């Protein structure tokens, strides 16, 4: 499935090939998707940004879609993922880019700006705020915080388990997962889970899809994962500690022009409330810091017009 005005090709970067979707000509804007999505999660952003005079490129991140899928779990640490994106910039004929990411794409975007300030002239995050490297190892802390409780990131740690659950019926799994994290869901009303539960069984089956997700959209996502499996995408969650080890001594401040957008009903925002509050202390030129009322986790899909307006205002400000 394609999207009007958007073309695709594979581009070599950092020793692998990423499939990119692109539109427009002008300064480079890279849009990085999260889990469990694809370049297609940015479908509503291509035309407005291209019409504003930008070359808009959304890669399928490593492990996704038609991009390469390295075998080893450790191949999905954030240092490698960041190198994929930084390598795209010269591969596409540019010296620098504006990088904006959502969900897992957000920490990647923030890290691109943090570690490669000469390549990233402005940065944006959707849903996930910038957080400096933790002073303590992430996984032991996570296990302590969620001791005796179900937490999806802990459930994702055992190789093969979450993959098998998702892939047993990809379309139903994605339908449940995407709708569960949307703004229409009252997260407090979801069934209580025990520590050893699975992710999807107890989630309600959404008979009706929300306005932002069509049957055709769902079919596209299911087809992407049926061709590529869930292993690579879930491997991102298995590299918290390795990324932490590899980034010792990381800078703590982002100096480029920056933007942050998120929905008030986003479960990630609820978990990261303190980090969002602290963000201006670390992101020194935070020009847009905007919460969108009533939407959930899938920021640019649930509120495309508002997201487009905010991104365009940010780009205009950066380039004025």
């Amino acid at each position: 499935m394609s999207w009007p005005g958007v073309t695709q090709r594979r581009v070599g970067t950092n020793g692998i090939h990423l499939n990119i979707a692109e539109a427009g000509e002008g300064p480079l804007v890279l849009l990085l998707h999260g889990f469990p999505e694809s370049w297609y999660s940015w479908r509503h952003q291509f035309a407005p940004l291209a019409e504003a005079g930008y070359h808009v490129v959304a890669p399928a991140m490593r492990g996704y879609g038609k991009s390469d899928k390295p075998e080893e779990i450790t191949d999905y640490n954030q240092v490698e993922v960041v190198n994929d994106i930084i390598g795209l910039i010269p591969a596409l004929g540019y010296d620098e880019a504006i990088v904006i990411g959502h969900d897992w794409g957000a920490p990647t975007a923030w890290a691109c700006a943090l570690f490669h300030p000469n390549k990233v002239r402005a940065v944006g995050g959707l849903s996930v705020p910038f957080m400096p490297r933790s002073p303590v190892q992430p996984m032991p802390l996570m296990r302590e915080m969620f001791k005796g409780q179900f937490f999806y990131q802990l459930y994702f740690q055992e190789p093969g388990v979450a993959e098998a659950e998702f892939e047993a019926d990809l379309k139903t799994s994605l339908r449940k997962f995407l709708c569960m994290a949307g703004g229409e869901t009252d997260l407090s009303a979801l069934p209580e889970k025990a520590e050893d539960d699975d992710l999807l069984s107890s989630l309600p089956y959404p008979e009706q899809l929300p306005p932002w997700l069509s049957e055709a959209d769902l079919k596209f996502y299911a087809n992407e994962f049926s061709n590529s499996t869930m292993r690579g995408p879930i491997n991102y969650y298995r590299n918290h500690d390795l990324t932490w080890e590899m980034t010792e001594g990381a800078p703590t401040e982002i100096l480029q022009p920056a933007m942050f957008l998120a929905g008030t009903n986003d479960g990630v925002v609820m978990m990261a409330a303190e980090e969002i509050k602290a963000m201006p202390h670390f992101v020194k030129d935070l020009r847009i810091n905007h919460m969108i009322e009533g939407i959930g986790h899938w920021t640019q899909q649930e509120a495309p017009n508002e997201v487009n307006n905010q991104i365009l205002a940010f780009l205009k400000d950066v380039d004025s």
Side-chain angles (χ1 to χ4, degrees):
M1 179 178 176
S2 58
W3 191 253
V6 175
T7 59
Q8 295 181 59
R9 60 186 165 120
R10 277 166 53 87
V11 177
T13 173
N14 190 31
I16 65 170
H17 282 79
L18 297 183
N19 184 59
I20 66 165
E22 61 187 332
E25 295 179 1
L28 180 60
V29 178
L30 295 173
L31 302 177
L32 314 182
H33 71 80
F35 175 90
E37 299 174 276
S38 92
W39 67 264
Y40 185 79
S41 68
W42 296 101
R43 60 196 176 279
H44 303 297
Q45 281 67 54
F46 285 101
L49 272 61
E51 286 164 11
Y54 291 90
H55 182 190
V56 188
V57 174
M61 305 294 278
R62 66 164 56 201
Y64 283 84
K66 297 184 182 76
S67 290
D68 285 355
K69 301 156 193 69
E71 283 298 313
E72 298 299 322
I73 289 173
T74 53
D75 290 332
Y76 294 83
N77 70 77
Q78 279 295 298
V79 174
E80 286 298 335
V81 176
V82 165
N83 287 341
D84 293 347
I85 302 309
I86 294 300
L88 270 184
I89 298 171
L92 294 169
Y94 292 85
D95 295 322
E96 59 182 10
I98 294 171
V99 185
I100 299 171
H102 167 257
D103 185 79
W104 262 114
T108 302
W110 295 124
C112 284
L114 190 69
F115 292 106
H116 302 274
N118 60 326
K119 294 284 187 185
V120 178
R121 64 191 184 96
V123 62
L126 276 57
S127 177
V128 182
F130 173 70
M131 297 173 243
R133 180 183 181 272
S134 167
V136 297
Q137 195 174 350
M139 288 310 301
L141 177 63
M142 204 180 290
R143 290 191 177 96
E144 185 58 36
M145 284 175 63
F146 294 97
K147 198 171 186 178
Q149 305 172 55
F150 178 87
F151 184 54
Y152 72 103
Q153 295 201 29
L154 294 178
Y155 174 69
F156 283 172
Q157 294 307 305
E158 183 61 38
V161 174
E163 290 94 324
E165 187 185 8
F166 265 102
E167 291 168 10
D169 182 347
L170 269 170
K171 200 167 180 185
T172 296
S173 299
L174 291 167
R175 186 184 192 103
K176 285 184 170 188
F177 191 85
L178 292 169
C179 290
M180 175 271 295
E184 300 79 13
T185 302
D186 178 359
L187 295 173
S188 66
L190 290 175
E192 289 284 324
K193 283 181 176 290
E195 186 176 14
D196 58 354
D197 274 352
D198 64 19
L199 177 65
L200 300 166
S201 297
S202 63
L203 291 182
Y205 180 86
E207 296 292 344
Q208 187 172 347
L209 292 175
W212 53 269
L213 182 69
S214 70
E215 291 287 353
D217 298 335
L218 191 60
K219 183 179 179 183
F220 175 87
Y221 286 125
N223 284 344
E224 286 284 277
F225 290 111
S226 65
N227 293 329
S228 67
T229 80
M230 297 295 294
R231 177 180 166 82
I234 294 171
N235 279 343
Y236 283 65
Y237 295 90
R238 296 173 179 146
N239 277 279
H240 288 305
D241 281 352
L242 179 58
T243 298
W244 182 79
E245 289 164 13
M246 294 174 76
T247 54
E248 187 174 1
T252 59
E253 294 181 347
I254 288 179
L255 304 179
Q256 297 97 318
M259 64 171 283
F260 177 70
L261 301 175
T264 56
N265 290 0
D266 185 345
V268 172
V269 166
M270 296 169 196
M271 287 191 292
E274 290 304 312
E275 287 80 2
I276 292 172
K277 201 182 297 181
M279 192 165 45
H281 180 72
F282 299 105
V283 182
K284 296 299 187 180
D285 190 6
L286 187 58
R287 300 189 183 184
I288 292 176
N289 186 5
H290 182 66
M291 301 299 294
I292 303 173
E293 195 64 39
I295 69 162
H297 181 60
W298 316 110
T299 325
Q300 73 272 26
Q301 297 184 82
E302 293 187 59
N305 293 337
E306 177 72 5
V307 168
N308 293 343
N309 290 340
Q310 294 290 337
I311 292 176
L312 288 169
F314 178 62
L315 296 177
K316 186 177 179 182
D317 188 36
V318 167
D319 283 333
S320 61

